[in-house]
């Protein structure tokens, strides 16, 4: 591993998996900022747009990489100073079930091990999920939740929350290996990623009603998520885990809007639309907010409602 102090702008960065929505957007943003990018793709449908960019952009190099093929990971990482890693299920195993935990753990282990064997790597940004934080906490013992909490694995098994279980096991595996091998790693624990591609089959939505009732159902826009990743990479003071969201669904109208987006239905009763009851927010993203103030400038964003003052971020 290379030392952690560095001037990262114009360094060579690897994005894996670059064929996801997040990965593709990260590649484009990093190129715009002047980085040289190794885009490691696993063919989730977005690689064609990256290949078109590669024809025009000398700073982009595409690698066919498989998180279960250790040597393909090493090839993609060669000469890179940083890694942005995000995981989506392989095409032949697209759904989350109890076995997905083993799959995701194996992928995380391979990627972190490859980072440990790549001398130039200075920092890893590991994309995780807010579901690794929110499950299994009693309201009395944990009235407010942030990055310091971990989801209860046994709770996930009991209620078949396979997405949360898989993400939690994978992130814990990554942290264990990072600490053992001295890898400088931070995680972005993302809320539900919004956008037109979101469908009712998204595994994050398992237990959505309970997350809503508990005041921990958070979402994030793609641009904000990308900014958060680049922010924690470029800020040398970043450390540990960062809960990442810019909206919380804690009003019935918000919930109805999401339901309508996922499965359009006839208009709900007017009484529901007029219900302005707000569930108390129990989840905080203050740690990320503080880091991003300087990074994003001063455009308004909805951030942590627990704060009694507006935070100008965006």
């Amino acid at each position: 591993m290379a030392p952690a102090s560095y001037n990262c702008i114009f360094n060579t960065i690897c994005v894996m998996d670059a064929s996801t929505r997040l990965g593709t957007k990260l590649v484009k943003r990093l190129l715009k900022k002047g980085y040289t990018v190794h885009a490691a793709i696993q063919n989730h449908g977005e690689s064609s747009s990256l290949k078109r960019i590669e024809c025009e952009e000398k700073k982009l190099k595409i690698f066919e990489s498989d998180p279960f093929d250790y040597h393909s990971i090493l090839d993609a990482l060669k000469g890179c100073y940083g890694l942005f890693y995000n995981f989506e299920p392989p095409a032949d195993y697209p759904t989350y079930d109890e076995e997905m935990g083993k799959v995701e753990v194996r992928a995380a282990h391979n990627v972190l091990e490859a980072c440990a064997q790549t001398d130039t790597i200075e920092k890893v940004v590991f994309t995780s999920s807010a579901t690794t934080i929110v499950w299994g906490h009693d309201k009395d013992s944990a009235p407010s939740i942030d990055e310091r909490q971990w989801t209860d694995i046994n709770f996930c098994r009991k209620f078949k929350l396979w997405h949360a279980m898989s993400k939690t096991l994978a992130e814990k595996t990554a942290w264990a290996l990072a600490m053992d091998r001295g890898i400088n790693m931070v995680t972005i624990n993302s809320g539900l990623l919004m956008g037109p591609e979101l469908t009712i089959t998204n595994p994050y939505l398992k237990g959505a009603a309970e997350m809503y009732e508990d005041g921990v159902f958070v979402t994030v826009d793609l641009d904000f998520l990308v900014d958060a990743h680049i922010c924690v990479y470029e800020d040398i003071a970043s450390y540990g885990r960062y809960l990442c969201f810019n909206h919380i669904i804690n009003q019935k109208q918000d919930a109805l809007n999401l339901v309508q987006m996922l499965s359009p239905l006839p208009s709900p009763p007017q009484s529901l639309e007029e219900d302005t009851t707000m569930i108390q927010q129990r989840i905080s993203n203050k740690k990320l907010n503080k880091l991003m103030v300087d990074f994003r400038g001063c455009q308004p964003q909805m951030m942590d409602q627990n704060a009694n003052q507006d935070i100008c971020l965006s």
Side-chain angles (χ1 to χ4, degrees):
M1 295 293 295
S5 58
Y6 55 94
N7 178 12
C8 55
I9 199 73
F10 305 126
N11 277 347
T12 300
I13 308 297
C14 180
V15 177
M16 181 186 303
D17 176 7
S19 55
T20 63
R21 282 182 66 208
L22 170 61
T24 300
K25 189 76 169 185
L26 268 170
V27 168
K28 294 176 180 178
R29 188 74 61 82
L30 290 165
L31 288 170
K32 189 174 181 180
K33 287 176 68 69
Y35 289 93
T36 297
V37 180
H38 287 191
I41 62 173
Q42 297 170 46
N43 295 317
H44 286 292
E46 293 293 334
S47 58
S48 58
S49 64
L50 289 177
K51 287 178 178 176
R52 286 195 297 271
I53 297 172
E54 186 183 29
C55 295
E56 306 170 358
E57 178 59 71
K58 293 181 180 179
K59 288 192 172 187
L60 174 62
K61 186 173 183 181
I62 294 178
F63 293 79
E64 297 283 346
S65 183
D66 183 342
F68 309 108
D69 180 352
Y70 180 72
H71 294 289
S72 74
I73 302 171
L74 286 174
D75 288 343
L77 291 177
K78 188 174 181 180
C80 291
Y81 293 85
L83 168 67
F84 292 93
Y85 171 73
N86 70 97
F87 176 89
E88 284 195 4
D92 59 349
Y93 205 136
T95 58
Y96 272 83
D97 58 18
E98 190 170 8
E99 293 302 308
M100 183 55 73
K102 298 176 183 177
V103 174
E104 196 156 350
V105 163
R106 181 184 166 200
H109 184 277
N110 286 346
V111 169
L112 268 293
E113 181 62 38
C115 288
Q117 297 301 322
T118 303
D119 291 338
T120 54
I121 289 291
E122 296 175 334
K123 197 168 193 177
V124 175
V125 180
F126 186 100
T127 308
S128 189
S129 172
T131 60
T132 67
I133 293 169
V134 302
W135 288 110
H137 307 295
D138 180 80
K139 287 186 178 181
D140 294 330
S141 59
S144 181
I145 294 172
D146 60 21
E147 299 88 350
R148 292 169 290 185
Q149 273 83 28
W150 282 93
T151 279
D152 185 327
I153 296 295
N154 292 328
F155 184 92
C156 292
R157 287 197 175 99
K158 180 178 179 180
F159 293 100
K160 299 183 179 181
L161 299 165
W162 305 131
H163 176 269
M165 186 191 78
S166 298
K167 292 295 181 185
T168 303
L169 290 172
E171 188 187 341
K172 285 192 171 185
T173 296
W175 276 118
L177 194 52
M179 289 187 284
D180 182 62
R181 297 303 185 90
I183 299 170
N184 179 23
M185 186 178 89
V186 293
T187 64
I188 293 289
N189 296 77
S190 170
L192 175 67
L193 179 57
M194 302 300 286
E197 298 85 355
L198 181 64
T199 68
I200 200 167
T201 60
N202 189 298
Y204 189 109
L205 291 168
K206 173 73 172 179
E210 289 77 11
M211 285 190 283
Y212 169 75
E213 292 168 0
D214 284 346
V216 297
F217 191 7
V218 291
T219 68
V220 66
D221 298 327
L222 182 58
D223 284 338
F224 187 86
L225 183 60
V226 169
D227 278 354
H229 278 74
I230 296 175
C231 173
V232 299
Y233 177 74
E234 291 186 342
D235 193 321
I236 198 170
S238 65
Y239 67 96
R241 310 170 81 203
Y242 289 87
L243 249 173
C244 180
F245 62 91
N246 61 346
H247 184 68
I248 180 164
I249 298 177
N250 63 343
Q251 298 184 69
K252 286 190 177 179
Q253 186 59 56
D254 290 335
L256 286 170
N257 290 342
L258 179 60
V259 169
Q260 289 280 48
M261 184 178 73
L262 295 173
S263 55
L265 297 170
S267 297
Q270 187 174 359
S271 59
L272 286 178
E273 291 185 330
E274 294 176 351
D275 189 339
T276 58
T277 303
M278 181 181 291
I279 294 174
Q280 183 177 0
Q281 178 176 339
R282 291 180 57 230
I283 189 167
S284 172
N285 56 358
K286 289 180 181 178
K287 183 181 177 186
L288 179 63
N289 293 352
K290 184 177 180 180
L291 198 69
M292 290 185 71
V293 166
D294 293 332
F295 180 81
R296 299 203 86 208
C298 209
Q299 300 172 19
Q301 275 281 349
M302 176 275 169
M303 301 305 292
D304 186 3
Q305 292 179 349
N306 284 333
N308 292 322
Q309 55 185 3
D310 292 332
I311 301 176
C312 189
L313 289 180
S314 199

